[in-house]
Amino acid sequence: IANGIESLSNVELLALVLRTGNKDESVLQLAQRLLNEIGGFPQLMNINYATLVSLKGIKTAKAIELLSIIEIGKRLKSQQSLHKSLTNPYDLYESIKDEFMFLKQEHFVLLCLDNKNRVIKKKTVFIGSLNMSVVTPREVFKEAIGVSSAKIVLCHNHPSGDSTPSQEDL
């Protein structure tokens, strides 16, 4: 309390969420092992229930608590970007990168903006395959008109990691 929660390490934060260890290890040891086994703290963004409960010392209650905390973090991050004015491509990138970072399929997302370039609605219009998504203008404009959008931004990810635009992108 004296140094603030931000002074804790990733292992210590995870240990607080887990609350208890098991008969073979302390909660700090469990937290460290969990991070080692999944590939580090950033990989918590990708973790799922099945993976968690397959780890020694993680049962249903701990898995659900951890997944809940992760989801709260994702939603908080998402809400932050909704109120920020998008004035340049970097602002746009910052507002969507965390959501797009670990997706395994192409997601085509529509951002509806007000006249001050703030996001008033974010909608995933289509989820495609590993390397393709097909969207019609009707789906896009229906959403934008429905919220009286002043401007729209269309974006999609490339799960392959290669951001070179395809002919369809162009």
Side-chain angles (χ1 to χ4, degrees):
I1 292 173
N3 294 326
I5 196 82
E6 61 277 356
S7 68
L8 297 177
S9 70
N10 292 343
V11 171
E12 291 167 330
L13 283 171
L14 183 56
L16 283 174
V17 173
L18 296 173
R19 292 183 293 144
T20 61
N22 56 49
K23 64 182 172 101
D24 298 325
E25 56 194 351
S26 71
V27 68
L28 285 168
Q29 291 169 321
L30 174 61
Q32 183 64 64
R33 183 174 52 77
L34 187 148
L35 291 178
N36 291 343
E37 288 183 18
I38 67 168
F41 200 68
Q43 294 307 313
L44 284 173
M45 290 285 291
N46 292 336
I47 200 97
N48 60 41
Y49 175 79
T51 301
L52 281 171
V53 296
S54 73
L55 300 169
K56 181 182 176 217
I58 306 293
K59 301 233 184 309
T60 298
K62 283 185 181 181
I64 291 171
E65 287 174 4
L66 186 54
L67 290 171
S68 297
I69 299 269
I70 293 166
E71 183 61 26
I72 287 170
K74 288 178 183 177
R75 291 182 189 190
L76 286 171
K77 180 70 174 167
S78 174
Q79 288 300 307
Q80 284 178 339
S81 66
L82 288 179
H83 300 293
K84 185 179 179 195
S85 183
L86 304 177
T87 58
N88 59 59
Y90 182 76
D91 290 343
L92 173 62
Y93 169 74
E94 284 295 312
S95 76
I96 63 169
K97 73 175 180 176
D98 292 335
E99 181 181 339
F100 277 20
M101 189 178 304
F102 301 109
L103 297 175
K104 306 271 189 270
Q105 296 170 275
E106 277 200 11
H107 286 232
F108 187 93
V109 174
L110 165 69
L111 300 177
C112 297
L113 308 179
D114 65 14
N115 54 356
K116 293 187 179 181
N117 293 336
R118 293 178 301 213
V119 177
I120 54 177
K121 182 175 187 174
K122 178 165 57 170
K123 169 118 176 149
T124 300
V125 180
F126 186 80
I127 299 173
S129 64
L130 176 65
N131 61 356
M132 186 178 81
S133 61
V134 179
V135 180
T136 64
R138 182 179 91 90
E139 295 159 332
V140 171
F141 291 116
K142 175 183 158 199
E143 296 295 333
I145 291 168
V147 294
S148 300
S149 180
K151 303 169 187 173
I152 63 170
V153 176
L154 306 173
C155 42
H156 79 95
N157 63 320
H158 286 209
S160 67
D162 179 4
S163 62
T164 307
S166 67
Q167 190 59 42
E168 291 80 12
D169 290 342
L170 296 173

